[in-house]
Amino acid sequence: MTSVKSLNKWANAHTYYFIDILRIALGVFLFIKGINFISQTETLIALIKPLEGYGGTMFTVHYVAFAHLIGGVLIAVGLLTRWAIIVQLPIILGAIAINFIGVMQPGRLLEASIVLILSLFFLFYGSGKHSMDYSMKMQQ
């Protein structure tokens, strides 16, 4: 049995509504962040200003917004949760790193740290029993 299958089996046996609510909240939070980045592109550009000399600023702006929008929806409904979180991890790690490269903003550092902890948890836990992944698996 593969490690992902064994993780899914364990997660499905140890499922709680509170964990599902956390997954949904994480997805909704990321989706709202994506909307904020689209509606306030200059804010995102200001956030990544310390990385300006490394190139790809506009690519980064579009990647972050798109990844948060699509990934947030996927995480909230529990579809391809691990893949969606893998796409989020570079963004979240970047959000933490920017606080050490640029101006330290403790509120944003705390926010990014909480999102990182939740993301790492769901990377291993998966989407759980109350998700689209589980529903689709049961219909097979």
Side-chain angles (χ1 to χ4, degrees):
M1 188 182 313
T2 66
S3 62
V4 173
K5 284 185 180 182
S6 61
L7 281 173
N8 283 341
K9 191 172 184 173
W10 180 88
N12 291 337
H14 297 88
T15 186
Y16 304 99
Y17 285 108
F18 177 73
I19 294 175
D20 293 323
I21 291 170
L22 275 178
R23 187 197 74 240
I24 293 167
L26 175 63
V28 168
F29 176 79
L30 291 171
F31 181 78
I32 291 171
K33 277 294 196 182
I35 290 174
N36 287 343
F37 290 147
I38 287 174
S39 63
Q40 302 169 356
T41 306
E42 58 278 345
T43 304
L44 181 57
I45 291 172
L47 280 174
I48 61 173
K49 188 94 167 141
L51 304 174
E52 191 174 45
Y54 299 104
T57 303
M58 287 314 289
F59 171 76
T60 304
V61 169
H62 290 92
Y63 171 73
V64 169
F66 181 74
H68 278 350
L69 284 173
I70 303 302
V73 170
L74 291 175
I75 292 167
V77 298
L79 182 64
L80 302 171
T81 303
R82 288 188 177 103
W83 287 107
I85 287 176
I86 288 170
V87 171
Q88 301 297 321
L89 285 178
I91 300 168
I92 299 166
L93 292 171
I96 290 171
I98 284 176
N99 282 287
F100 296 102
I101 296 170
V103 177
M104 175 66 77
Q105 297 178 350
R108 289 194 177 160
L109 178 61
L110 178 63
E111 181 182 282
S113 299
I114 291 170
V115 171
L116 177 64
I117 290 167
L118 286 174
S119 296
L120 290 174
F121 172 76
F122 285 111
L123 181 63
F124 291 102
Y125 184 80
S127 53
K129 195 172 186 176
H130 306 103
S131 65
M132 285 190 67
D133 278 339
Y134 186 80
S135 297
M136 291 171 65
K137 178 182 165 196
M138 295 309 290
Q139 288 177 2
Q140 289 181 357

